[in-house]
Amino acid sequence: MNYLPGAFDVPLWYIVMHLKGASGILTQKRYCDVLAHRLNQDQANRLISVDDYLLLPDTLHLMVQEEALKFDVWWPAFRDQLLEELKELYLAGLKAGGASESADSLVWEPVSYELITSPEAFEHRVNEMLFLPVRKGLASDPEYYPYNSVNNKAGIDLQ
């Protein structure tokens, strides 16, 4: 790929967040809607922009670019608020089903992030996100996996 000079002047981050405690919820519509709402709201407020994403049943992969907020300011608030919203929705589902469990077992673990500083690093991460559903046996072709930037079933605004 050819990139314009200065293409990586605005910090671009690759984030991987594993959700423990509620198997498979990230690809369920009501939880996707929470995530999409949070990201789309942050983009509407020009805090960050989302370049690419991948939702696996228990893992969120994001490629976000800083806008009004630096990553170290935006990231902790986003991570914590998203977890609280997911816990609230999960707990409501448990109560509706008659369970008396708690949502305290939901945690982001492990979490990693990386500053993308070169075209090679960008291409590596984008390809990883594209082909991961195939490697995990969730799709036979990356273009058929619904919860990625290509198909955008989650409804996340892409920049």
Side-chain angles (χ1 to χ4, degrees):
M1 289 185 173
N2 293 327
Y3 293 91
L4 297 172
F8 294 95
D9 288 349
V10 176
L12 178 66
W13 294 88
Y14 174 67
I15 306 163
V16 180
M17 302 166 57
H18 300 274
L19 185 62
K20 300 280 186 186
S23 183
I25 70 171
L26 291 178
T27 51
Q28 293 177 21
K29 182 175 178 6
R30 63 182 176 259
Y31 300 102
C32 285
D33 289 348
V34 169
L35 172 63
H37 174 74
R38 171 73 32 215
L39 286 170
N40 292 341
Q41 184 178 16
D42 287 355
Q43 290 187 98
N45 292 324
R46 303 250 187 259
L47 304 179
I48 52 100
S49 63
V50 177
D51 287 355
D52 286 296
Y53 78 89
L54 169 65
L55 293 176
L56 297 175
D58 300 319
T59 309
L60 166 63
H61 295 253
L62 285 173
M63 210 52 112
V64 297
Q65 198 165 40
E66 292 180 4
E67 286 199 18
L69 290 181
K70 296 282 187 196
F71 179 78
D72 61 346
V73 174
W74 171 79
W75 164 245
F78 166 77
R79 178 197 62 216
D80 296 347
Q81 183 62 42
L82 178 59
L83 184 61
E84 287 308 310
E85 291 177 27
L86 292 174
K87 279 182 176 182
E88 202 173 292
L89 186 58
Y90 184 68
L91 185 57
L94 288 174
K95 286 182 179 178
S100 60
E101 299 172 39
S102 119
D104 291 337
S105 62
L106 286 178
V107 293
W108 294 119
E109 187 179 284
V111 174
S112 64
Y113 47 89
E114 164 190 356
L115 179 61
I116 303 298
T117 58
S118 70
E120 295 80 18
F122 177 79
E123 285 183 46
H124 172 74
R125 292 304 185 192
V126 167
N127 283 327
E128 178 182 53
M129 288 170 51
L130 185 61
F131 288 99
L132 199 52
V134 174
R135 287 197 307 268
K136 297 256 183 201
L138 300 170
S140 59
D141 186 303
E143 291 188 17
Y144 298 126
Y145 188 74
Y147 296 102
N148 61 16
S149 302
V150 174
N151 295 305
N152 200 14
K153 186 174 180 179
I156 297 168
D157 297 334
L158 300 170
Q159 303 300 313

